[in-house]
Amino acid sequence: MTEAYEQWCAERGVPPLPAGPLPAGRRPRHAFDRFSPGRTVDAVYSLYDPGGRPVLAAAARHGLRVPDDLLLVCASEDPAYGRGDPPVSTVTLRPGVIGEAAVAALVGLLEFPQCALPGQLTVPAALTVRRSSGASPRG
């Protein structure tokens, strides 16, 4: 994800503005406080759950409205993001599907050790678009 973001920025001549890693002694809940009014941040993608909640809290502390002033998407498996105000768009890495694929590959190797390794398995992530990323409410 970071590489894709950096490539997007480079193609548009925009300097990337990553939020992490945090300096020693800084608490994760304040990682997004640098995104205050006056900064040119208009969207945040949080790579790790529960990153969406600290972004929402920081936006509120700085008087930013999600999605009007700041768009937000986070990686999470937590269905509660869909029930918040605003509902937060999430990317799932589909751990259940990854687990099933890993177990199937392992069983295949154990049952048929003479066969070649299956190679790289790719499980695509899935995006659930909600209002925090500018999606229109469904009605």
Side-chain angles (χ1 to χ4, degrees), residues 92-102 105 118-126:
T92 175
L93 300 179
R94 304 173 69 200
V97 175
I98 291 172
E100 288 174 13
Q120 181 175 343
L121 298 173
T122 301
V123 176

Side-chain angles (χ1 to χ4, degrees), residues 22-48:
L22 289 175
R26 289 288 307 266
R27 293 172 31 179
R29 68 186 185 100
H30 294 288
F32 302 97
D33 279 342
R34 71 176 80 184
F35 304 130
S36 59
R39 292 299 298 251
T40 57
V41 175
D42 60 1
V44 173
Y45 174 71
S46 177
L47 292 173
Y48 303 105

Side-chain angles (χ1 to χ4, degrees), residues 101-113:
V103 168
L106 178 60
V107 168
L109 288 172
L110 293 173
E111 289 182 355
F112 306 101

Side-chain angles (χ1 to χ4, degrees), residues 32-100:
F32 302 97
D33 279 342
R34 71 176 80 184
F35 304 130
S36 59
R39 292 299 298 251
T40 57
V41 175
D42 60 1
V44 173
Y45 174 71
S46 177
L47 292 173
Y48 303 105
D49 189 29
R53 290 178 185 86
V55 172
L56 289 170
R61 282 193 298 276
H62 295 288
L64 299 173
R65 296 165 300 157
V66 175
D68 299 327
D69 303 317
L70 182 71
L71 302 176
L72 172 61
V73 176
C74 69
S76 179
E77 310 304 322
D78 186 351
Y81 277 114
R83 298 186 297 268
D85 185 25
V88 175
S89 297
T90 53
V91 174
T92 175
L93 300 179
R94 304 173 69 200
V97 175
I98 291 172
E100 288 174 13

Side-chain angles (χ1 to χ4, degrees), residues 120-136:
Q120 181 175 343
L121 298 173
T122 301
V123 176
L127 172 65
T128 300
V129 179
R130 298 186 180 106
R131 198 161 37 102
S132 72
S133 60
S136 298

